[in-house]
Amino acid sequence: MVTVFRALNDETRRVILDELAARDGQTLFEICSTLTTRHGLSSTRQAISQHLGVLEEAGLVTTEKRGRSKFHYFNPAPLAEITRRWPVGERTAE
């Protein structure tokens, strides 16, 4: 769970997850292009690749290699684990 919180502690990684949640199965090139055009983030491909590695290590991103392309997918399971541990529900005032 610590790796999940560390992964989410970076704005660029949160934006990457937002984009993968909106459209799964993107390549590194597609992610870099989207971050530049929609969010004005001009990180290098190497930097984005490192961010994806952190997200993958935390289990928030999975990858699938097809031919020469590597596709990235959002995996919400680690976030669901957090909400199982600390359920979010309506609180009553005491």
Side-chain angles (χ1 to χ4, degrees):
M1 196 169 298
V2 172
T3 57
V4 173
F5 284 110
R6 283 188 187 143
L8 294 173
N9 192 32
D10 183 90
E11 178 66 24
T12 300
R13 289 194 284 268
R14 290 191 303 269
V15 171
I16 291 170
L17 287 179
D18 288 341
E19 289 301 326
L20 288 175
R23 188 173 71 82
D24 239 354
Q26 295 185 57
T27 64
L28 176 60
F29 177 78
E30 291 171 314
I31 294 168
C32 289
S33 297
T34 300
L35 294 179
T36 301
T37 58
R38 286 192 191 152
H39 303 281
L41 298 173
S42 58
S43 298
T44 64
R45 286 172 51 104
Q46 181 179 358
I48 299 303
S49 182
Q50 289 172 345
H51 283 303
L52 286 165
V54 170
L55 292 168
E56 190 171 4
E57 183 180 321
L60 293 164
V61 169
T62 59
T63 60
E64 177 185 326
K65 194 154 176 130
R66 281 185 258 146
R68 293 177 54 168
S69 298
K70 186 176 182 181
F71 296 87
H72 301 84
Y73 298 90
F74 172 59
N75 178 22
L79 299 176
E81 183 179 325
I82 291 170
T83 58
R84 276 193 300 278
R85 182 170 179 174
W86 296 292
V88 178
E90 287 193 36
R91 292 179 173 239
T92 57
E94 292 183 24

